Amino acid sequence: MPKDGGIGAPSKRREDIRFLTGRGRYTDDINLNNQAYAHFLRSEVAHATINGIDTSKAAAMEGVLQIFTSKDFEGVGGIPCGWQVTDRHGEVMQEPKHPILAEGKVRHVGDPIAVVVAESAELARSAAEAIELDLTELPPVLDMKAAVQDGSPKVHDDLTSNLCYDWGFVEENRDAVDEAIKGAHHVTTLELVNQRLVANPMEPRVAVGDYNPGTDDHTLYTTSQNPHVIRLLMGAFVLGIPEHKLRVVAPDVGGGFGAKIFHYAEEAFCTFAAKAVGRPVKWTASRSEAFLSDAQGRDHVTKIELAMDEEGKFLAIRTDTYANMGAYLSTFAPSVPTWLHGTLMAGNYTTPLIYVNVKAVFTNTVPVDAYRGAGRPEATFQLERVIDKAAREMGIDPVELRRRNFITEFPYATPVAVEYDTGNYHATMDKLLELTDRDGLEARRAESAKNGKLRGLGIAHYIEACGIAPSNLVGQLGARAGLYESATVRVNATGGLVVMTGSHSHGQGHETAFPQVIAEMIGIDESMIEVVHGDTANTPMGMGTYGSRSIAVGGSAMVRATEKIINKAKKIAGHLLEASEGDIELKDGQFTVAGTDKSVAWGDVTLAAYVPHNYPLEDIEPGLEETAFYDPANFTYPSGGYACEVEVDPETGKVEVQAFHAADDFGNIINPMIVDGQVQGGLAQGIGQALLENCAYDENGQLLSGSYMDYTMPRADDMPFFDVDHSCVTPCTHNPLGVKGCGEAGAIGSPPAVVNAVIDALQSGGHDVTHIDMPLTPGRVWQAING
């Protein structure tokens, strides 16, 4: 039977009550007194010189308050990049300025040129249409390989080329990897594309800037995954506002998937304009605008080589990747194809030699940054696709080939500079095969064949690194911020608690899961614990939510703060019970003297903390509130095995997912219901990438898939019922909860499982197809079948 509460209980998400009844408070719900509205005039061409901007007609229109261009931001900093990569030659990356409004050139369709602030959103939009632009179009830079050739037009004239960096890792392994590949019994080579994606959270981005001239205080309400980071970047590096004069509030946020991690020009503009206009300024993105302005994801072109001996043991891996940065460097963009990708190329396997080369390239497209998984899906897709291809070339069962190369002893130091602390990959594979009924596959194939369909089964295994850490290490790798997390726990006199966390919840269920942890530690009801997040004015400095870090890093900070609370409460209880604090035990909300029946309740101790009549103030100060910062010693390493079963119609190329099984090891589980939901959401996004989604540009740099008419989002009828299991548990060894994180796993392991299944279906039907690039649309599959 499931627990009723605390760690491991499937407690229902308390925040869903307000979401499901329409009582959530999102940024677009915030309307301030005397508020004005902003509309951004964006470039309709991918690459052009700005010769002139005539705003006279627009400025004369009724209701227009002010029109801004780049001239209004002279002396203002550009949007900063939060990670600096050093290339394989020891040179730091090329880092162009990212202005709030385009300066001199536009560099992608959607690049903001001017902003109208008016009495209403409709008036601002109409006035923006009246602005006259004088542009000279330039040849767009779109193809990454062509972009780094001599003679290519440059996205940024002040850079030496379109190459941001040429990164090699581990550079010392390069010659050894080359030799191992030359001398191997068999080398499998695969060239593939991890296509560009649009995050498409349900809620578009919104920003509301406010300024109080009486106190010189600025407030920004925004759709952000990490308000403290926005305050730091925007205040210190863009607008020059001291942090104590800048408040950033991220209220309820309707999904992020990575796209709301970053600092955007619209946030800085609304904050700046509120002071300039003397009124609050609000901007709400339309869905079409989001396609042109939200940071996009993935967009890698890769060649991978896997060298093996006669028995199929992996000897070496070599990859060469072109990674699209888009027109500007988004906040964490340089880290995604390097440290979040290259360090995971060992996967679950004992490959002794690995070399990863990444060329990051500027193009005239929307900037690219982290999207659910961020580097880990790209690494897993390469690895699990090439292993499946190798299994067929070697005549080895794909499950067996993986088993022959699984890591079995922990801790395990990979050749790409990370150390896995725990795992049991054979156990997750065993569980996966149990869920899958692989022995019955041939019978299911025969049944599909009767209906003119081809059936296939695809297997993939994955590992990911979560809770990026520790700060001193990532600082050496180029991070320009710490990656700790914080929590303040305040106990009220009557025993209730308020947890103020630097983590941010935008669908993860923090308001439910975090109280489960504290309730377990103290032995009180979860309803006595409230979670506060998203407001820099009443939460400690924290790094926010991304990379499946909330429970592993934010939860650990909360545990450490609660431990401090308990230790102080034991001192108070010791005085009340006339016993040494070392003899005080806390269980089920009662402090007892060990070996006796003397006890005092949690609520009596907390009341005494604020009404200190019964203990000496010289020993214990009044109150019960503690803060802790937690900086992890290592990444956490969730892992698992996924299996996808598909039917393919050879007449049309249409793929239908018939079944999907997931066996994950997330370490200890706080709330299994929330974990199920996180995995299922990730699977839907991964299947969406594998079969449906594609962010496409034409030869002029125009976004072809700029609306839901052209960008195919996954729908309920594209999905099977998911079979999700997380019973294989190897707890993390270096955080107090033994947790690993679960938010991105589904999106990491599912794309290769789907593609492997389709290839298996086609090959079982006699079609010699070894690879199809995502998305596996009916047209692409039909073309592969028909040569």
Side-chain angles (χ1 to χ4, degrees):
M1 291 292 291
K3 291 178 64 177
D4 292 331
I7 294 174
S11 301
K12 291 183 179 180
R13 290 180 15 141
R14 62 169 76 173
E15 50 267 67
D16 286 350
I17 295 172
R18 69 176 186 273
F19 296 149
L20 295 174
T21 58
R23 292 179 173 87
R25 187 171 184 260
Y26 298 88
T27 306
D28 195 49
D29 294 322
I30 295 171
N31 293 292
L32 304 178
N33 184 47
N34 202 29
Q35 176 177 282
Y37 296 82
H39 184 85
F40 284 76
L41 176 65
R42 300 182 183 274
S43 176
E44 296 181 354
V45 299
H47 197 194
T49 300
I50 302 173
N51 302 315
I53 306 172
D54 186 349
T55 63
S56 57
K57 291 181 181 178
M61 293 175 68
E62 184 179 354
V64 172
L65 300 175
Q66 192 166 340
I67 298 175
F68 296 82
T69 66
S70 63
K71 291 181 180 179
D72 296 289
F73 291 89
E74 292 177 358
V76 174
I79 305 300
C81 179
W83 202 297
Q84 183 182 71
V85 166
T86 300
D87 73 11
R88 64 190 188 88
H89 307 292
E91 301 293 328
V92 297
M93 67 187 188
Q94 296 201 90
E95 189 173 357
K97 184 180 180 181
H98 184 177
I100 293 174
L101 297 176
E103 295 177 356
K105 284 175 70 173
V106 291
R107 295 181 172 86
H108 67 87
V109 174
D111 207 359
I113 300 172
V115 191
V116 177
V117 177
E119 295 287 356
S120 72
E122 293 76 15
L123 289 171
R125 184 181 304 110
S126 296
E129 292 172 356
I131 295 174
E132 296 179 0
L133 300 176
D134 180 7
L135 305 178
T136 300
E137 283 199 59
L138 301 169
V141 178
L142 300 168
D143 180 86
M144 286 189 283
K145 292 183 180 180
V148 297
Q149 300 301 313
D150 292 340
S152 170
K154 289 195 291 187
V155 177
H156 296 275
D157 297 332
D158 55 331
L159 302 186
T160 60
S161 70
N162 294 315
L163 183 67
C164 178
Y165 55 76
D166 180 1
W167 185 77
F169 191 71
V170 173
E171 194 64 28
E172 292 78 11
N173 289 349
R174 188 173 191 172
D175 292 342
V177 169
D178 292 346
E179 289 301 313
I181 289 175
K182 285 180 185 177
H185 170 75
H186 183 84
V187 178
T188 295
T189 302
L190 182 60
E191 296 187 27
L192 47 81
V193 175
N194 207 300
Q195 83 271 33
R196 184 182 286 230
L197 301 174
V198 179
N200 281 316
M202 186 180 295
E203 174 203 32
R205 289 190 297 115
V206 184
V208 183
D210 191 20
Y211 176 69
N212 185 335
T215 61
D216 195 31
D217 288 332
H218 299 257
T219 301
L220 170 68
Y221 301 91
T222 183
T223 47
S224 176
Q225 298 176 214
N226 46 4
H228 282 281
V229 174
I230 303 305
R231 183 180 68 163
L232 175 63
L233 294 177
M234 186 178 73
F237 300 104
V238 183
L239 300 180
I241 302 171
E243 283 186 90
H244 67 283
K245 288 295 181 180
L246 175 58
R247 177 189 179 196
V248 177
V249 183
D252 289 331
V253 173
F257 311 123
K260 293 176 183 173
I261 297 171
F262 324 118
H263 177 37
Y264 287 95
E266 295 87 356
E267 294 169 321
F269 173 80
C270 288
T271 306
F272 178 90
K275 182 176 182 179
V277 175
R279 292 170 59 174
V281 175
K282 182 176 186 176
W283 167 78
T284 299
S286 67
R287 182 60 65 182
S288 296
E289 195 174 14
F291 272 93
L292 298 174
S293 62
D294 289 5
Q296 297 170 353
R298 314 286 193 254
D299 206 351
H300 287 193
V301 177
T302 297
K303 176 182 177 182
I304 181 171
E305 298 164 280
L306 172 62
M308 293 164 286
D309 68 13
E310 296 86 344
E311 300 301 319
K313 288 289 289 182
F314 301 165
L315 302 176
I317 291 171
R318 180 170 61 200
T319 74
D320 291 286
T321 292
Y322 288 83
N324 205 330
M325 295 287 101
Y328 304 101
L329 290 177
S330 181
T331 305
F332 291 118
S335 68
V336 174
T338 53
W339 300 110
L340 301 184
H341 158 244
T343 53
L344 271 296
M345 281 308 304
N348 308 86
Y349 310 105
T350 57
T351 313
L353 292 167
I354 299 173
Y355 180 73
V356 179
N357 178 244
V358 177
K359 294 178 176 65
V361 183
F362 292 111
T363 63
N364 290 120
T365 60
V366 173
V368 176
D369 208 318
Y371 169 71
R372 197 170 191 169
R376 284 68 59 90
E378 294 90 322
T380 300
F381 187 71
Q382 297 169 39
L383 197 54
E384 293 301 304
R385 281 293 299 120
V386 80
I387 290 172
D388 236 52
K389 187 169 185 277
R392 296 185 186 280
E393 292 175 355
M394 293 282 285
I396 302 173
D397 177 84
V399 171
E400 174 59 26
L401 183 59
R402 288 173 170 84
R403 286 193 185 276
R404 290 183 190 181
N405 291 281
F406 273 161
I407 298 163
T408 57
E409 296 182 2
F410 296 88
Y412 178 82
T414 75
V416 279
V418 294
E419 183 175 281
Y420 305 159
D421 59 333
T422 59
N424 189 339
Y425 309 143
H426 282 291
T428 48
M429 182 66 86
D430 290 342
K431 174 56 70 173
L432 182 67
L433 296 178
E434 176 189 324
L435 299 172
T436 303
D437 183 24
R438 197 172 183 228
D439 293 339
L441 176 62
E442 292 309 317
R444 297 193 295 277
R445 280 199 213 271
E447 193 64 29
S448 295
K450 292 178 183 178
N451 298 315
K453 304 290 181 65
L454 305 175
R455 184 175 283 257
L457 176 66
I459 300 287
H461 230 271
Y462 79 89
I463 188 167
E464 65 161 323
C466 300
I468 307 170
S471 292
N472 62 350
L473 172 61
V474 296
Q476 296 170 35
L477 302 181
R480 289 166 167 165
L483 292 173
Y484 54 83
E485 199 45 82
S486 62
T488 295
V489 177
R490 176 181 297 158
V491 183
N492 299 318
T494 53
L497 289 84
V498 178
V499 180
M500 292 157 280
T501 173
S503 298
H504 186 276
S505 182
H506 41 278
Q508 291 82 2
H510 295 175
E511 294 173 40
T512 301
F514 284 5
Q516 289 183 247
V517 174
I518 295 181
E520 179 94 1
M521 294 177 69
I522 297 174
I524 58 177
D525 193 88
E526 295 165 19
S527 64
M528 296 176 65
I529 303 160
E530 191 76 14
V531 174
V532 174
H533 63 89
D535 187 342
T536 61
N538 57 27
T539 57
M541 174 71 177
M543 293 295 106
T545 294
Y546 46 85
S548 302
R549 73 191 303 268
S550 292
I551 193 65
V553 188
S556 294
M558 182 181 62
V559 168
R560 294 298 186 225
T562 305
E563 288 173 343
K564 293 180 181 180
I565 291 287
I566 291 172
N567 289 337
K568 182 175 179 180
K570 283 184 176 180
K571 291 182 179 180
I572 298 172
H575 281 284
L576 297 178
L577 296 170
E578 299 179 335
S580 168
E581 66 181 84
D583 293 330
I584 300 297
E585 298 175 346
L586 173 61
K587 184 178 181 181
D588 297 331
Q590 292 284 326
F591 293 91
T592 60
V593 180
T596 74
D597 59 359
K598 296 173 63 178
S599 68
V600 62
W602 166 259
D604 294 331
V605 172
T606 61
L607 182 62
Y610 291 93
V611 186
H613 295 166
N614 297 308
Y615 59 86
L617 294 177
E618 62 269 19
D619 292 341
I620 309 170
E621 63 183 32
L624 204 51
E625 179 174 328
E626 299 287 351
T627 296
F629 287 77
Y630 180 79
D631 200 332
N634 190 4
F635 295 95
T636 63
Y637 298 98
S639 62
Y642 288 174
C644 177
E645 198 161 321
V646 301
E647 272 193 343
V648 180
D649 185 340
E651 297 298 317
T652 65
K654 181 173 175 56
V655 177
E656 292 188 359
V657 180
Q658 298 295 312
F660 203 103
H661 311 278
D664 295 291
D665 175 5
F666 296 134
N668 293 332
I669 302 293
I670 304 301
N671 185 315
M673 184 185 68
I674 288 177
V675 170
D676 285 350
Q678 288 286 311
V679 174
Q680 291 172 16
L683 294 177
Q685 286 186 273
I687 293 171
Q689 176 175 12
L691 298 179
L692 302 166
E693 299 183 51
N694 188 27
C695 180
Y697 291 86
D698 70 8
E699 66 276 7
N700 298 311
Q702 294 293 330
L703 182 61
L704 297 176
S705 50
S707 75
Y708 290 148
M709 294 295 289
D710 302 296
Y711 188 94
T712 311
M713 291 287 285
R715 300 179 180 228
D717 62 357
D718 296 310
M719 302 295 144
F721 285 100
F722 297 124
D723 187 8
V724 174
D725 180 272
H726 35 75
S727 62
C728 299
V729 175
T730 59
C732 175
T733 60
H734 56 77
N735 67 55
L737 290 168
V739 295
K740 295 184 177 183
C742 67
E744 296 164 301
I748 293 171
S750 54
V754 174
V755 178
N756 289 345
V758 173
I759 299 301
D760 181 61
L762 300 187
Q763 295 210 350
S764 71
H767 303 284
D768 186 20
V769 178
T770 59
H771 181 68
I772 306 172
D773 276 325
M774 300 184 293
L776 275 62
T777 59
R780 288 188 180 186
V781 175
W782 187 90
Q783 287 178 332
I785 291 171
N786 291 280

